Amino acid sequence: ASGAAGAAVLPLLGGDIVLLRHFRHATRRWHLEIPRGFGEVGISAAEQAKKELREEIQAETTRLTSLGVFHSNTGAATDEVELFLAEISGVGSPQLTEGIDAIQTRTPHQVAQLIAGNIAIDGSDLITDSFTIGAFTRAWLRGLFPSVGQASV
């Protein structure tokens, strides 16, 4: 709505991916997903990504890598989001006021399994969020998760 590009960020903590368990009113379901936010005028997408990490999981970024521009739904929406991979030094509490009730860490291989639609791990939901799938896929295709072999998903 602001005209500024939003940001979605795949956080890495010691090699594991940090996911949020987030209630989404549109689907009336809980989803496992990465932090993301709308763009704000005067704030770069990189700064927006860092801001979302601070707000949603109380994390500070030690390294931020752009994964490129992403359109979540080219048939119905015009919004543009920049995807990032962020190395973080730790996590705090989830932002309960935004409908986030838990922070989970998963190995890249586990995230690949949850995206592939295989059996959920430890009662976790499967990952169906387009931003999470897009960021993970871009990072994987760039060789950032070499332990996730192509044949293993």
Side-chain angles (χ1 to χ4, degrees):
S2 70
V9 57
L10 184 74
L12 288 180
L13 179 63
D16 286 341
I17 296 170
V18 178
L19 299 169
L20 311 176
R21 187 169 180 268
H22 199 156
F23 186 79
R24 293 294 182 179
H25 292 282
T27 61
R28 307 295 304 157
R29 292 184 48 208
W30 290 95
H31 292 270
L32 284 178
E33 59 188 42
I34 60 175
R36 67 176 184 250
F38 295 110
E40 296 180 39
V41 175
I43 297 178
S44 71
E47 286 303 313
Q48 187 68 40
K50 293 175 186 178
K51 180 180 175 191
E52 293 304 323
L53 288 171
R54 283 191 301 272
E55 289 177 356
E56 295 186 2
I57 61 173
Q58 298 177 350
E60 290 301 323
T61 305
T62 59
R63 183 176 177 187
L64 189 68
T65 303
S66 175
L67 298 173
V69 173
F70 184 78
H71 295 96
S72 65
N73 184 345
T74 57
T78 61
D79 54 326
E80 183 174 290
V81 172
E82 188 166 351
L83 302 176
F84 293 92
L85 179 112
E87 293 175 24
I88 59 175
S89 55
V91 297
S93 300
Q95 188 180 27
L96 300 175
T97 59
E98 289 290 323
I100 302 166
D101 80 339
I103 299 169
Q104 300 180 10
T105 57
R106 300 282 183 224
T107 67
H109 181 75
Q110 289 172 325
V111 171
Q113 293 292 312
L114 293 170
I115 288 171
N118 293 341
I119 297 172
I121 301 162
D122 300 330
S124 297
D125 293 325
L126 298 176
I127 296 174
T128 60
D129 171 63
S130 65
F131 296 100
T132 305
I133 294 169
F136 179 86
T137 301
R138 290 243 177 109
W140 176 61
L141 289 171
R142 291 179 186 196
L144 300 176
F145 304 128
S147 64
V148 182
Q150 290 180 348
S152 65
V153 296

